[in-house]
Amino acid sequence: MKEYDHTEIEKKWQKHWSKKGIYTSKENPKEPKSYVLDMFPYPSGEGLHVGHPKGYIATDIYSRFKKMSGHNVLHPMGWDAFGLPAENYAIKTKTHPRDAVGKNIARYKEQLSGIGFNYDWKREINTTDPGYYKWTQWIFLQMYKKGLAFQSNDPINWCPSCQTGLANEDLDDGKCERCGSVVEKRPMRQWVLRITEYADRLLTDLGNLNWPESIKESQRNWIGKSEGAEISFKTKDSSEIRVFTTRPDTIFGATYLVLSPEHEFIQKNERKISNITEVIQYVEKTKNKTEIERTAVGKEKTGVQLKGITAINPANNEEIPVWIADYVLTSYGTGAIMAVPAHDERDFEFAKKFDLPIREVVVPNIIDQRNPPVAGKKSVERRNIHAIVRDPKTGKYLAIKWPKFNWITFPMGGVEVGESPEVAARREVLEETGFKNLKFVKVIDGQVRAEYFATHKDENRVAYTTAVVFELENHEQAEIDEKEKAQHEVTWIEEKQINYEYMTHAEANFWRDRLPQKFSQYTGVGFLVNSGEFSGKESEQVKKAIVDSVGGKMVTKYKLRDWVFSRQRYWGEPIPLIHCEKCGVVPVPEKDLPVKLPDVKNYAPTGTGESPLAAIEKWVHVKCPTCKGKAKRETNTMPQWAGSCWYYLRYMDPKNKKALVDPKKEKYWAPVDVYVGGAEHATRHLIYARFWHKFLFDIGVVSTIEPFTRLYNVGLILAEDGRKMSKRYGNVINPDDIVATYGADTFRIYEMFMGPFTQASAWDTKSIMGSRRFIERIWRLAEKVKAEGVQPNKKLETLLHATIKKVSADIETFSFNTAVSSLMILSREFEDASEVAVNDFKILLQLLAPFAPHVTDELWTSLGNKKTIHESMWPTFDPAKIVSDTVKIVVQVNGKVRDEFEIGVSAEENEVKERALSRENVIKWLNGAVPKRVIYVKGKLVNIVIE
């Protein structure tokens, strides 16, 4: 057989597949469908590097597998070609974006074709094609007609470098995701989509998706649903500050208000604020901070009081101060909060810094599980103290043993009327232990409400307990009452013993956790204290009642903001709206779509808030579709993400001029069965596409509520130096070079064999030879193939059917590296055989075909098959043949593996042991020693112990 020449073979088969059109997709209701989709690429001028095709190879393998398994496959490719990257590149190279994009697409397509992908190129789409963006514009118009698209002049994220407005999703740590510039807030006319109208559905329907949990969690966090209340706080001059809180049950503990520095209240009340200059300086300083900087955990709190402004807490009519602070964001809730420092970490830190009041209103509730309340017994409510006394010389803590009840407690007791917790604690320590000289350390922040049965009093108790911490100054003791002596005895415990497992107190763990802290706040739920008529009630149970009592309302808020949809740039879809002096904003009639993007001589951004389109007088000035009077086109363009919101639908029916997609074709192909792309799109493209899809479902264009059923994220391929591939680092590897040197099949197998598909791995050109040798081994195996007369090989048959099962399952779950490993093991078993049955070899080729489509097709047809291997049926395994009649026994000497052998599954223990002891390699390691023990683990190993 001639030598394996990948160049000749791969060109031959790529040409053959294209000529025969074997990858052309057609609707066929008689066959199950499988829609396999890649996140379509933005075609940059730099072309592909070896990291880009990893996901494409995976979907190619999966779609080939599904086709051979009897599925009608749709596996398309297209180009996401509008947006800032193409425009910036065009400005840099002084090339029109349309020309630059066309050149880049041709380059990408050439590279992809060389790797042998099974894309149906007849369905190719391009977001910059007027025939495509006509329908992007059409969808926008439907949103406008439904009130989901609106014009706004609110401050937006402005990138001073890219000279355009940005959505929140386009920011990374407060900076432009594209260029890294710190964004500014700038009031500007823009078009906005009400994605928040779909926030709840976007959140709820995540539960139905077979997506990575990390992606779903990213979307949940980005949507950021919060259920709470809006409550109005009146100011002394009868103005109003509306706050949003998720904990209305804590309102009695609100000791001040905090507004975001951008809050409109400041501007409206400038004359009433006596320190307005200081306030304005703080507001200006805040503008230079990102949201991440403002809300970072551990960041030192800053703020300014609005002197001259006080608010009235509607729960208790208490007069409280009003502050501004950068840890409160305009984008969250109402941009104003009621601060409850006893029950919120940030508020606590702020209150401590500025010496503001801290009032506890919620205490945790603990039910003593060892001494639970007893039904039928009377219940007594009381205030308690626990005295926590530390001996500084030993580090131990004072405790009391109660022999009759088998208790170990701190000195404890009730607080008398008029007593402080400290006084009560000193009294109990003196009465129960006699220790007189205690140095007060602190009262642990936060009471605990505990429910238990007090055995010694034969009653249920509800105790509101405070812990007081002392240090023992000396061991001088007073005489203890005989009655006290009879009940308990003094003991000392280690700090580690302050827990509910050792002590009787159900509160012990709570005290232990708070003991070393300088301060603390309780953020959980429990029972209310210091809360007027609501004291003693469960905080969660009375939330709504408290809100009603102060005239508030229960609401649901989202962190998700409406989508700023217009860009002040040239290279994007024109927004199909017309501004008429008489009629206002008027939609472009659908019959006049698409509104084509005109050619311009200067497409550099203007920086004025208008796109370069505004300068094209002939294009801008039109007649109003309604009154026929003078009007102007909208000159802002759509963002890069517009075309990618629905492109998966156009693949189903790419040539349709009358509709976005034919309903019959959509019902056949939808939804996308498997979607593959980068995790970086979790909170932009994937949320946007889901939003558009749900809207299209609502207006009857699509038949499913979600666009993508299964999602796989592709792990990065790093450069050989461990960094991300970049021209900046000079570490980019061109796939063309790898394909030319080693072949496309080798390249495909290597990328799948590098490691788990979803994990990052570093490229290693030296290691690629292993994949090349594997293909050459397959090539040489053809010389051993015989059509008849091959002796049965039970071991090979078992492995073959096990490999069919394994590879099938691995492809289905995108475990490509283990599938390749199984095929390598099988190929070595074939190589060890003296001859190979033609049918067995055909199965091996079929299993390998999705991974290495060129070489397998060449070998397949060399066996006399008329059709390509990719039109053959995927092999099935016989479960009965997977069960082997032999097992592999590992032999250990003193726990270390020294040999292995196979033996019949029915072999007796003595036979297995004798076989192990007679093995030549084992005898060598025994070196004449007599085994002390021979241990047999059935069907697995023999361990020979000689020491």
Side-chain angles (χ1 to χ4, degrees):
M1 192 171 186
K2 66 177 182 178
E3 188 177 338
Y4 171 57
D5 181 352
H6 66 265
T7 304
E8 178 185 337
I9 292 170
E10 289 172 359
K11 286 182 178 178
K12 167 188 172 181
W13 285 105
Q14 288 166 13
K15 185 177 180 181
H16 176 82
W17 298 331
S18 177
K19 183 180 179 180
K20 294 294 184 180
I22 68 167
Y23 302 133
T24 301
S25 304
K26 294 181 180 179
E27 295 71 29
N28 185 352
K30 295 181 180 179
E31 291 182 351
K33 64 89 182 180
S34 188
Y35 186 177
V36 185
L37 184 63
D38 300 288
M39 290 186 186
F40 71 161
Y42 155 71
S44 74
E46 298 171 2
L48 298 170
H49 63 60
V50 292
H52 293 128
K54 182 179 176 181
Y56 307 152
I57 295 169
T59 57
D60 191 71
I61 291 168
Y62 184 82
S63 57
R64 288 177 184 275
F65 162 70
K66 297 304 282 187
K67 181 179 176 66
M68 294 173 71
S69 300
H71 285 239
N72 188 22
V73 171
L74 175 56
H75 186 213
M77 178 52 75
W79 316 105
D80 187 14
F82 265 136
L84 285 177
E87 188 173 335
N88 287 342
Y89 177 80
I91 293 169
K92 180 181 177 181
T93 59
K94 294 181 172 51
T95 309
H96 194 284
R98 186 174 289 106
D99 297 333
V101 164
K103 182 179 178 181
N104 295 346
I105 288 175
R107 174 72 180 129
Y108 264 58
K109 195 168 180 180
E110 177 187 23
Q111 288 185 291
L112 292 175
S113 297
I115 302 172
F117 293 123
N118 66 343
Y119 294 126
D120 180 359
W121 287 110
K122 291 182 179 179
R123 293 177 181 259
E124 179 182 2
I125 60 174
N126 183 330
T127 57
T128 68
D129 176 4
Y132 178 87
Y133 68 70
K134 166 185 176 178
W135 298 106
T136 308
Q137 293 173 339
W138 181 86
I139 296 170
F140 177 87
L141 284 182
Q142 309 318 305
M143 288 187 166
Y144 177 77
K145 292 171 184 177
K146 295 289 186 180
L148 291 176
F150 66 98
Q151 197 169 203
S152 168
N153 284 284
D154 291 336
I156 62 168
N157 305 307
W158 176 264
C159 176
S161 175
C162 296
Q163 296 283 291
T164 190
L166 301 172
N168 283 354
E169 291 82 2
D170 293 319
L171 307 186
D172 182 7
D173 191 16
K175 299 175 183 177
C176 174
E177 183 269 343
R178 180 63 59 188
C179 72
S181 299
V182 176
V183 301
E184 304 167 357
K185 288 289 185 180
R186 182 182 292 191
M188 186 168 293
R189 182 185 71 83
Q190 74 274 336
W191 286 94
V192 182
L193 298 186
R194 297 187 197 274
I195 190 173
T196 51
E197 291 288 319
Y198 283 75
D200 202 51
R201 288 166 64 182
L202 289 169
L203 192 62
T204 302
D205 292 344
L206 282 171
N208 301 322
L209 298 176
N210 184 5
W211 287 16
E213 190 56 37
S214 59
I215 299 295
K216 293 199 283 187
E217 190 61 22
S218 292
Q219 293 209 355
R220 291 188 190 104
N221 292 337
W222 191 259
I223 295 167
K225 183 178 182 179
S226 298
E227 294 181 338
E230 281 188 5
I231 299 171
S232 290
F233 284 66
K234 300 283 187 184
T235 61
K236 286 193 73 176
D237 65 351
S238 298
S239 296
E240 187 177 79
I241 297 174
R242 193 165 46 89
V243 306
F244 171 73
T245 176
T246 59
R247 292 296 304 273
D249 51 308
T250 66
I251 191 171
F252 286 87
T255 56
Y256 60 99
L257 298 186
V258 187
L259 313 183
S260 70
E262 304 88 353
H263 200 286
E264 62 181 3
F265 180 88
I266 300 165
Q267 190 174 2
K268 290 181 178 179
N269 294 272
E270 280 187 1
R271 294 180 181 180
K272 302 172 186 175
I273 302 171
S274 61
N275 61 333
I276 189 62
T277 301
E278 181 187 10
V279 170
I280 291 174
Q281 287 174 347
Y282 184 81
V283 171
E284 290 300 315
K285 188 177 179 180
T286 301
K287 287 181 179 179
N288 297 322
K289 295 180 181 180
T290 67
E291 288 191 2
I292 298 294
E293 290 172 330
R294 288 171 60 171
T295 59
V297 175
K299 169 191 169 291
E300 183 180 358
K301 297 295 179 287
T302 63
V304 176
Q305 184 179 352
L306 302 183
K307 294 180 180 178
I309 303 292
T310 55
I312 308 299
N313 186 330
N316 53 20
N317 292 319
E318 181 181 17
E319 211 173 294
I320 58 177
V322 180
W323 290 68
I324 60 170
D326 62 8
Y327 76 89
V328 177
L329 303 176
T330 304
S331 59
Y332 179 74
T334 62
I337 66 166
M338 63 177 204
V340 187
H343 304 293
D344 181 271
E345 183 176 353
R346 296 182 308 166
D347 295 345
F348 191 97
E349 292 171 358
F350 192 87
K352 281 288 186 180
K353 178 169 181 178
F354 294 102
D355 197 25
L356 294 164
I358 299 172
R359 182 183 303 122
E360 181 183 39
V361 292
V362 180
V363 297
N365 187 60
I366 299 174
I367 296 177
D368 190 337
Q369 299 298 329
R370 290 203 294 252
N371 300 284
V374 177
K377 297 289 184 179
K378 73 173 183 177
S379 183
V380 176
E381 187 173 295
R382 55 184 267 156
R383 288 175 63 211
N384 268 5
I385 57 90
H386 289 167
I388 303 177
V389 181
R390 181 178 178 271
D391 185 346
K393 293 182 178 179
T394 64
K396 292 186 176 182
Y397 289 82
L398 181 63
I400 294 174
K401 280 187 178 180
W402 302 66
K404 181 178 179 181
F405 304 108
N406 194 27
W407 291 352
I408 295 178
T409 70
F410 292 122
M412 62 180 183
V415 181
E416 304 294 342
V417 176
E419 265 188 327
S420 70
E422 179 187 347
V423 170
R426 287 183 184 276
R427 174 175 52 76
E428 291 295 342
V429 172
L430 184 63
E431 289 177 1
E432 296 182 351
T433 72
F435 288 111
K436 300 192 296 183
N437 300 317
L438 307 177
K439 178 183 176 183
F440 174 74
V441 176
K442 68 173 181 176
V443 175
I444 290 179
D445 293 315
Q447 297 181 65
V448 175
R449 183 184 189 274
E451 299 180 36
Y452 60 94
F453 179 66
T455 308
H456 62 306
K457 299 292 185 180
D458 194 37
E459 63 186 22
N460 293 322
R461 285 187 174 175
V462 176
Y464 288 86
T465 304
T466 301
V468 186
V469 183
F470 301 98
E471 279 200 352
L472 192 67
E473 293 185 324
N474 58 53
H475 282 258
E476 184 181 350
Q477 287 177 279
E479 187 64 31
I480 304 174
D481 184 89
E482 291 298 324
K483 185 179 178 182
E484 293 286 348
K485 284 184 179 180
Q487 285 185 314
H488 45 66
E489 60 188 65
V490 174
T491 187
W492 293 88
I493 64 174
E494 303 280 353
E495 184 175 340
K496 64 183 180 182
Q497 293 173 310
I498 301 176
N499 60 66
Y500 184 45
E501 289 71 32
Y502 184 78
M503 302 189 76
T504 306
H505 297 306
E507 304 96 328
N509 289 4
F510 190 84
W511 304 141
R512 177 200 62 208
D513 293 341
R514 295 198 166 204
L515 193 59
Q517 296 180 13
K518 294 180 180 178
F519 59 85
S520 54
Q521 60 286 314
Y522 178 63
T523 58
V525 297
F527 277 72
L528 295 176
V529 295
N530 303 318
S531 297
E533 64 180 292
F534 300 101
S535 293
K537 297 180 179 178
E538 288 189 58
S539 57
E540 283 292 292
Q541 299 299 318
V542 294
K543 271 186 176 181
K544 189 174 186 309
I546 289 176
V547 172
D548 291 341
S549 74
V550 297
K553 62 178 181 179
M554 301 299 293
V555 295
T556 299
K557 295 283 186 179
Y558 298 91
K559 189 175 75 173
L560 179 70
R561 300 292 79 176
D562 282 331
W563 178 9
V564 176
F565 194 69
S566 49
R567 297 291 182 268
Q568 293 69 44
R569 300 290 296 245
Y570 165 68
W571 191 238
E573 299 92 336
I575 295 175
L577 295 172
I578 291 171
H579 299 267
C580 175
E581 295 177 2
K582 181 179 178 181
C583 303
V585 178
V586 181
V588 170
E590 291 181 17
K591 66 180 180 61
D592 294 337
L593 297 180
V595 176
K596 292 185 178 181
L597 185 67
D599 284 330
V600 295
K601 292 181 179 180
N602 180 19
Y603 38 81
T606 64
T608 63
E610 295 291 340
S611 84
L613 293 177
I616 308 176
E617 296 284 332
K618 187 176 180 181
W619 184 82
V620 171
H621 294 283
V622 293
K623 289 183 178 181
C624 172
T626 303
C627 71
K628 308 305 178 184
K630 292 182 179 180
K632 291 184 177 181
R633 291 191 187 279
E634 172 61 54
T635 56
N636 283 342
T637 55
M638 296 185 192
Q640 179 181 356
W641 303 100
S644 62
C645 284
W646 69 281
Y647 75 107
Y648 57 93
L649 295 170
R650 194 59 176 174
Y651 283 135
M652 301 175 186
D653 193 12
K655 309 300 181 185
N656 196 327
K657 294 181 179 181
K658 295 182 179 180
L660 184 152
V661 62
D662 179 89
K664 290 183 179 179
K665 292 182 179 180
E666 186 275 333
K667 284 182 180 177
Y668 177 73
W669 289 116
V672 174
D673 296 288
V674 174
Y675 196 28
V676 175
E680 68 273 15
H681 296 297
T683 52
R684 278 196 292 187
H685 162 60
L686 289 172
I687 281 185
Y688 292 159
R690 294 180 64 223
F691 162 45
W692 278 41
H693 190 88
K694 290 179 183 301
F695 171 72
L696 292 173
F697 175 80
D698 289 348
I699 64 173
V701 175
V702 299
S703 60
T704 64
I705 60 172
E706 286 286 341
F708 317 118
T709 304
R710 285 168 64 193
L711 175 71
Y712 285 97
N713 294 132
V714 54
L716 289 175
I717 292 182
L718 305 173
E720 292 188 273
D721 59 11
R723 294 185 293 181
K724 190 174 180 178
M725 289 192 189
S726 170
K727 286 181 69 177
R728 172 184 168 192
Y729 301 131
N731 59 6
V732 173
I733 298 173
N734 191 324
D736 298 2
D737 298 334
I738 301 300
V739 169
T741 305
Y742 302 99
D745 285 341
T746 298
F747 175 61
R748 292 163 62 103
I749 287 174
Y750 175 65
E751 292 222 338
M752 294 299 97
F753 191 50
M754 291 176 76
F757 177 70
T758 58
Q759 295 181 14
S761 49
W763 181 272
D764 183 1
T765 301
K766 294 177 184 176
S767 298
I768 202 171
M769 278 307 300
S771 298
R772 170 72 182 199
R773 285 193 292 269
F774 168 52
I775 289 178
E776 290 176 345
R777 184 187 308 133
I778 300 294
W779 182 261
R780 291 192 302 270
L781 282 177
E783 298 176 356
K784 292 187 175 185
V785 174
K786 290 189 176 181
E788 54 187 31
V790 178
Q791 294 298 313
N793 185 329
K794 180 67 176 178
K795 180 181 178 182
L796 182 59
E797 181 183 57
T798 299
L799 181 60
L800 181 63
H801 283 264
T803 305
I804 296 171
K805 180 181 180 181
K806 173 70 173 165
V807 172
S808 302
D810 282 350
I811 293 177
E812 193 64 62
T813 59
F814 275 52
S815 304
F816 301 112
N817 60 321
T818 53
V820 172
S821 177
S822 297
L823 290 168
M824 288 179 172
I825 292 170
L826 179 62
S827 70
R828 292 191 193 100
E829 199 65 39
F830 271 90
E831 192 174 41
D832 290 342
S834 58
E835 52 189 9
V836 176
V838 66
N839 287 335
D840 290 350
F841 187 59
K842 283 182 177 180
I843 292 174
L844 172 61
L845 292 178
Q846 288 173 308
L847 296 177
L848 181 60
F851 298 87
H854 307 89
V855 68
T856 50
D857 231 345
E858 180 71 13
L859 292 172
W860 179 261
T861 54
S862 73
L863 297 175
N865 295 292
K866 301 299 182 184
K867 286 189 174 183
T868 170
I869 193 171
H870 308 293
E871 295 177 293
S872 67
M873 289 303 297
W874 188 257
T876 57
F877 67 92
D878 183 346
K881 292 182 179 178
I882 293 178
V883 179
S884 176
D885 56 3
T886 63
V887 291
K888 183 183 288 184
I889 302 295
V890 173
V891 185
Q892 298 176 336
V893 178
N894 286 337
K896 294 185 178 181
V897 176
R898 299 305 185 189
D899 200 2
E900 63 180 37
F901 63 89
E902 288 191 355
I903 197 167
V905 292
S906 60
E908 297 291 334
E909 181 175 344
N910 287 340
E911 182 184 353
V912 177
K913 289 180 177 178
E914 288 175 8
R915 182 86 170 272
L917 289 167
S918 65
R919 299 282 294 177
E920 183 178 339
N921 211 33
V922 173
I923 293 170
K924 181 183 76 173
W925 282 102
L926 291 177
N927 195 24
V930 178
K932 291 183 178 181
R933 283 184 298 160
V934 179
I935 303 165
Y936 174 51
V937 179
K938 187 172 181 180
K940 293 183 178 180
L941 65 84
V942 173
N943 186 19
I944 303 168
V945 182
I946 59 176
E947 294 178 353

